[in-house]
């Protein structure tokens, strides 16, 4: 397994991973109407403007996960559900740390992601609520020094 910078031609595969991962991770947190709106086309549009800030985890030549980072903040770290728990997320997180990652935001109730980040030394610095997809939602901010 390796990590490399994303390329524009990776966008369709990354958008498909994002759709599958988003649905798997947030099915118990977000309403179906929100999940439906976060399909591959939604993510592809977002990634068209941000792929240069993305890293990809590959198994062989196959993308299995990705990370998007802005100014030391991890915006997204998604693994294909079929590849979860196999080390790709840890590789991405380690590379983000090397590149200066210092913060990330997570749904408070995303227990699987929270266990992952805490296992890798990230700590909650703040809990709060904010607007997300038409409702107030609970989040945690993680930091790493």
């Amino acid at each position: 397994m390796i990590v490399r910078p994303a390329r524009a031609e990776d966008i369709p595969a990354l958008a498909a991973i994002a759709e599958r991962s988003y649905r798997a991770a947030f099915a118990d947190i977000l309403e179906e109407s929100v999940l439906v709106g976060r399909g591959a086309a939604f993510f592809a549009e977002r990634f068209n403007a941000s792929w240069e800030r993305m890293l990809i985890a590959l198994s062989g030549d196959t993308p299995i996960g990705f990370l998007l980072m802005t100014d030391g903040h991890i915006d997204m770290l998604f693994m294909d559900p079929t590849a979860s728990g196999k080390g790709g997320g840890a590789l991405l997180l380690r590379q983000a740390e090397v590149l200066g990652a210092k913060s990330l935001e997570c749904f408070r109730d995303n227990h699987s992601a929270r266990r992952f980040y805490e296992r890798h030394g990230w700590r909650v610095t703040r809990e709060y609520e904010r607007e997300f997809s038409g409702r107030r939602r609970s989040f945690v901010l993680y930091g790493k020094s």
Side-chain angles (χ1 to χ4, degrees):
M1 199 171 311
I2 65 164
V3 172
R4 70 158 169 82
R7 302 177 191 133
E9 59 266 21
D10 296 319
I11 291 172
L14 301 180
I17 289 169
E19 178 180 29
R20 288 189 299 274
S21 179
Y22 203 89
R23 180 166 284 282
F26 306 134
D28 294 333
I29 297 171
L30 299 172
E31 300 78 26
E32 180 64 21
S33 60
V34 176
L35 297 172
V36 167
R38 299 296 200 277
F42 170 87
F43 288 108
E45 183 176 325
R46 180 165 183 191
F47 297 162
N48 278 326
S50 59
W51 65 267
E52 293 169 322
R53 294 182 282 116
M54 296 175 81
L55 299 173
I56 302 174
L58 298 164
S59 177
D61 292 332
T62 305
I64 58 167
F66 68 88
L67 177 135
L68 172 62
M69 191 166 78
T70 306
D71 298 327
H73 180 80
I74 297 173
D75 298 306
M76 294 182 184
L77 194 165
F78 287 159
M79 294 301 298
D80 193 302
T82 62
S84 184
K86 297 180 181 172
L91 283 174
L92 286 167
L93 188 58
R94 233 182 340 269
Q95 186 60 36
E97 291 169 2
V98 167
L99 295 172
K102 297 288 183 208
S103 65
L104 63 90
E105 180 182 66
C106 186
F107 284 107
R108 184 196 65 207
D109 294 334
N110 188 348
H111 303 295
S112 177
R114 293 187 64 184
R115 280 190 302 273
F116 169 77
Y117 294 125
E118 290 169 13
R119 193 168 54 247
H120 291 280
W122 289 74
R123 298 294 172 244
V124 173
T125 61
R126 185 167 61 104
E127 294 190 28
Y128 54 96
E129 288 190 358
R130 72 170 176 85
E131 174 74 23
F132 184 89
S133 291
R135 286 191 40 201
R136 301 237 1 121
R137 316 257 184 198
S138 297
F139 289 88
V140 290
L141 183 69
Y142 277 89
K144 179 97 183 232
S145 46

